[in-house]
Amino acid sequence: MSYYSDTNPTAMRSFFIIFTVFASFLILASCKNTKNQDRPPVSDAEIDINVLTENLSHPWELVYGSDNKIWMTERGGKVSWIDPVTGSVNLVANLTEVVSRGEGGLLGMALHPDFVNTPEVFLAYNYLKGGVYTEKVVKYRYNGTSLINPSILIDNIEANTFHNGCRLLISNDNKLFISTGDAGDKPLAQNMNSVNGKILRLNLDGSIPADNPFPGSPVWSLGHRNAQGLVFGNNVLYSSEHGPNADDEINIISKGKNYGWPNVEGFCNENAEKDFCQANQVVEPLKSWTPTIAVSGIDFYTQDYIPQFKNSVLMTTLKDNTLYQLKMNAAGSSVESMTEIFRGTYGRLRDVCIAPDGKVYVSTSNGSNDKILVISKKN
Ligand SMILES: [Ca+2]
Ligand SMILES: [Ca+2]
């Protein structure tokens, strides 16, 4: 028996309609007031997209250095820096040891946070170790013209023609984060004896930090399929991760947590996933995409230059040919809205970096005549 069974249903319905309209009016009016009084409107900047440089081959990593140069890897083995004004490309290394197969090759790069005084360059790449396709992370020193003094920080990461990760990121407290793929061997992502399908954390000399979650292990988080985006935004570590046919993800990476792969894809919404999620306290993504869009490099916008980008993750996509803006809430804990900054025209997009002045640089990944694009404010 319904609670309202003794009242006239038509009268009740009319009352609710009138009440809802009145309440909506009040909410709208109060929103408008708050906006006008507390937040003077900041109008969106009109943006320009231009080609900074071209004739590149799979530019994989873009890092804006504290030396005001755009540092770039190309998958075949080249490391260069680009003058952000003229677009001229200056080769500093062509690593002949790199073996590029399928999605493998020279991948992620990070620079020492105090690069001007400590010119160290960290590189992740695939090579043949006794004939076996393998991945390692190597630190080099930049002497002003080329990369010298290689020292291996971590080796024996399983590699394949796909799912090799491998984004590098150095935190302000000088820890190196490394995203590794499952190299096509799914169970590795849940295997704590493997460094594959993980986010790893090392000191800058390759040693394991004493405060890592699993003593003596480089593993910071597990259960990753193939994360190719990694960035800090207001001290929150974000990662983008390729899903299989479904469920590309954007995650917040927390110490010692399990992100589910291969037992969980995207959210813990299937019955089989729910048990695993409960047993392993799986962290769900902030957002997932089905069908997949092939999420790749990400960076975080804190500048005022293009006001509508502030407090957003900017994310490239390969399959979707689109640069996305994921506007975060103030705490950085959820995605408030998603906007296409541009779609199409330039094909697949691999990575993005943001300069301190607020200009945004994006690399394409089409394999021939790849470009670095610059997004600036229209004059
Ligand atoms: Ca996941
Ligand atoms: Ca799911």
Side-chain angles (χ1 to χ4, degrees), residues 247 265-270 273:
D247 291 305
E265 299 176 5
F267 290 89
C268 299
N269 55 338
E270 311 280 340
E273 293 177 329

Coordinates of all heavy atoms in Angstrom, one line a residue, residues 247 265-270 273, ligand 2:
D247 N 37.0 0.7 -21.8 CA 37.5 1.2 -20.5 C 39.0 1.7 -20.6 O 39.8 1.2 -19.8 CB 37.4 0.1 -19.4 CG 36.0 -0.1 -19.0 OD1 35.3 0.9 -18.6 OD2 35.5 -1.3 -19.1
E265 N 38.2 -4.2 -15.4 CA 38.3 -3.2 -16.5 C 37.5 -2.0 -16.1 O 36.3 -2.1 -15.9 CB 37.9 -3.7 -17.8 CG 38.8 -5.0 -18.2 CD 38.3 -5.6 -19.5 OE1 37.3 -5.1 -20.1 OE2 38.8 -6.6 -19.9
G266 N 38.0 -0.8 -16.0 CA 37.3 0.4 -15.6 C 36.7 0.3 -14.2 O 37.4 -0.1 -13.3
F267 N 35.4 0.5 -14.1 CA 34.8 0.5 -12.8 C 34.5 -0.9 -12.3 O 34.4 -1.8 -13.1 CB 33.5 1.4 -12.8 CG 33.8 2.8 -12.9 CD1 33.9 3.4 -14.2 CD2 34.0 3.6 -11.8 CE1 34.2 4.8 -14.3 CE2 34.3 5.0 -12.0 CZ 34.4 5.5 -13.2
C268 N 34.3 -1.0 -11.0 CA 33.9 -2.3 -10.4 C 32.4 -2.6 -10.5 O 31.7 -2.6 -9.6 CB 34.3 -2.3 -8.9 SG 36.0 -2.1 -8.6
N269 N 32.0 -2.7 -11.8 CA 30.5 -2.8 -12.0 C 30.0 -4.2 -12.4 O 28.8 -4.5 -12.3 CB 30.1 -1.8 -13.1 CG 30.9 -1.9 -14.4 OD1 32.0 -2.5 -14.4 ND2 30.4 -1.4 -15.5
E270 N 30.9 -5.1 -12.9 CA 30.4 -6.4 -13.2 C 30.5 -7.3 -11.9 O 31.3 -7.0 -11.1 CB 31.4 -7.1 -14.2 CG 31.7 -6.2 -15.5 CD 30.5 -6.2 -16.5 OE1 29.7 -7.1 -16.4 OE2 30.5 -5.3 -17.3
E273 N 33.8 -8.7 -11.1 CA 34.7 -7.7 -10.7 C 34.5 -7.3 -9.2 O 35.5 -7.0 -8.5 CB 34.6 -6.4 -11.6 CG 35.0 -6.6 -13.0 CD 34.7 -5.4 -13.9 OE1 33.8 -4.6 -13.6 OE2 35.5 -5.2 -14.8
Ligands
CA2 CA 34.2 -2.9 -15.2

